[in-house]
Amino acid sequence: MIRRIPLTKFTKQAIVRGYDLRVIGVPKTIDNDLPHTDHCPVFGSVIKYNGATVMEIALDVGSMATDDGACCIIEVMGRSAGWIAAGSVLAKRTVMDAPHIICFPRFRSMRSGFWRK
């Protein structure tokens, strides 16, 4: 288990020891939903990984598809913004490439009536 130590503790210890130390906290999240930031540090690698995964899964499903067609649902991590799901569209090279539908968590209308269609 990782023990999280507040940055103020580092700062106070530096003052006690007479060490000139500047402590800056850098938020780290894969969700890219922190306010006042252009992008979060890990977000780019998550999107790259998800894009590659979507392309690989699409190739696998496409090779197994019959005349009846095939469907594959991919669920990705994230809190509530849907940035990771939205980023998976970067896997598309042509209009016919996966992903074909991206569902975002904030749209309640999709939960109520979308799947009935």
Side-chain angles (χ1 to χ4, degrees):
M1 180 175 171
I2 298 173
R3 184 171 171 230
R4 296 181 184 211
I5 302 170
L7 294 178
T8 54
K9 190 169 185 178
F10 286 111
T11 305
K12 288 177 183 176
Q13 282 298 315
I15 292 169
V16 167
R17 297 169 191 230
Y19 186 76
D20 186 25
L21 175 70
R22 305 281 191 269
V23 179
I24 301 171
V26 177
K28 182 178 173 186
T29 176
I30 64 169
D31 295 317
N32 203 39
D33 59 356
L34 294 177
H36 315 297
T37 60
D38 180 44
H39 64 279
C40 298
V42 186
F43 181 69
S45 58
V46 169
I47 296 304
K48 181 179 178 185
Y49 176 80
N50 279 346
T53 301
V54 167
M55 287 192 303
E56 290 170 5
I57 290 172
L59 289 172
D60 289 344
V61 171
S63 69
M64 296 183 285
T66 63
D67 290 338
D68 297 333
C71 177
C72 181
I73 297 173
I74 303 169
E75 182 179 1
V76 296
M77 292 180 60
R79 274 194 287 265
S80 60
W83 285 110
I84 296 173
S88 66
V89 78
L90 296 176
K92 291 178 89 65
R93 299 284 188 248
T94 68
V95 176
M96 296 303 294
D97 289 345
H100 302 294
I101 298 172
I102 300 174
C103 298
F104 297 99
R106 291 198 177 191
F107 297 118
R108 295 182 196 276
S109 62
M110 293 189 81
R111 292 184 194 148
S112 62
F114 178 78
W115 296 111
R116 284 192 293 258
K117 295 180 182 179

